[in-house]
Amino acid sequence: MSRKRVWGEVALVVEEVCLRLEAGEPLAVVCREAEMPHESTLRAWLKRFPDLKVRVDAARAAGLAVQAARPLVIRVRPVVFDEALAEAVCARLAAGSQGLEAVCAASDLPSSATVYRWLADYPDFAAQYGEARRIQAHRMFDEARAIARAATTKSVAVAKLRIDTLKWQAAKLAPRVYGVRVEREPEAPVINVQIRDFSLEDEVEKLRAMVTGAGMCLPEVSALNPIPARRPGMDRHEAAKAGRG
């Protein structure tokens, strides 16, 4: 291919780039599109064809003048609660699997911090937001199924990771539908066991005999202990039976 033919084909592409530069578009934005040459390719062309470099430099200067003439527009994100904006946030959440940060990246919506504050201050909006998240869980389930059907032997590992992530998110957003159900085992019955120490009764009887021999009076054992007192001539088994009676 002759140099003249190459120059002619390159010149057509460069001229299209220059027209967009003159309109005020940045060079990085223009070269980012698929049908446009990469910045490195454009620099190589301009180095090879100096005439085209002069044309591009002039177009960039004209574009800077256009940008300078444009009025400065400062966009302020909304912070005051608005029902229309709240509905827009919920609608965009329910329409796909994007998170709140990605949805709130749009300049026409409030920031995620503002949305979190609205959730704490406005119960009706919190309920609407929760419903949008539950709808989003159903969409995530459908998306996981589509990924599984489209997976190939080469992409199965990546597909599994994406499916597991979507399943986890769906389970958190709608636990009653997609959460893992854990069946609890029945609790064992509690059995209270009371143990009577009959050796203590023998000690009490010995103490009673010592006190009686000293001419003193010992209160009834039943007043000190739930175990009934044992009368003279009654063994401990008979005393226990009398206590139960």
Side-chain angles (χ1 to χ4, degrees), residues 198 201-202 205 208 220-221 227-240:
F198 291 100
E201 296 182 17
D202 295 336
E205 290 301 327
R208 181 183 296 278
E220 291 294 328
V221 178
I227 302 175
R230 192 166 69 184
R231 296 189 296 274
M234 180 185 295
D235 59 17
R236 61 185 182 183
H237 298 291
E238 292 176 345

Side-chain angles (χ1 to χ4, degrees), residues 9 31 86 88 92 103 117 155 178 198 233:
E9 293 179 355
C31 294
R92 295 190 189 184
V103 169
R117 181 170 56 81
S155 64
Y178 302 109
F198 291 100

Side-chain angles (χ1 to χ4, degrees), residues 65-95:
V66 171
Q67 293 178 7
R70 291 174 181 171
L72 181 62
V73 178
I74 301 177
R75 294 183 178 179
V76 180
R77 285 179 174 267
V79 293
V80 179
F81 180 76
D82 182 85
E83 291 186 1
L85 289 175
E87 291 180 0
V89 171
C90 294
R92 295 190 189 184
L93 281 174

Side-chain angles (χ1 to χ4, degrees), residues 68-148:
R70 291 174 181 171
L72 181 62
V73 178
I74 301 177
R75 294 183 178 179
V76 180
R77 285 179 174 267
V79 293
V80 179
F81 180 76
D82 182 85
E83 291 186 1
L85 289 175
E87 291 180 0
V89 171
C90 294
R92 295 190 189 184
L93 281 174
S97 58
Q98 286 185 323
L100 183 61
E101 294 291 339
V103 169
C104 291
S107 59
D108 59 330
L109 293 181
S111 65
S112 59
T114 301
V115 173
Y116 287 130
R117 181 170 56 81
W118 289 358
L119 290 173
D121 295 341
Y122 300 94
D124 292 340
F125 171 60
Q128 186 180 7
Y129 179 87
E131 182 62 26
R133 283 297 200 178
R134 283 187 288 272
I135 295 174
Q136 191 179 46
H138 300 315
R139 292 189 179 276
M140 289 179 177
F141 177 81
D142 294 338
E143 184 178 349
R145 183 171 55 183
I147 293 173

Side-chain angles (χ1 to χ4, degrees), residues 14 16 34 42 44 50 92-93 105 110 121 155 189 192 204 207 236 240 242:
V14 172
E16 186 176 354
L42 183 61
R92 295 190 189 184
L93 281 174
D121 295 341
S155 64
N192 295 323
V204 172
L207 179 60
R236 61 185 182 183

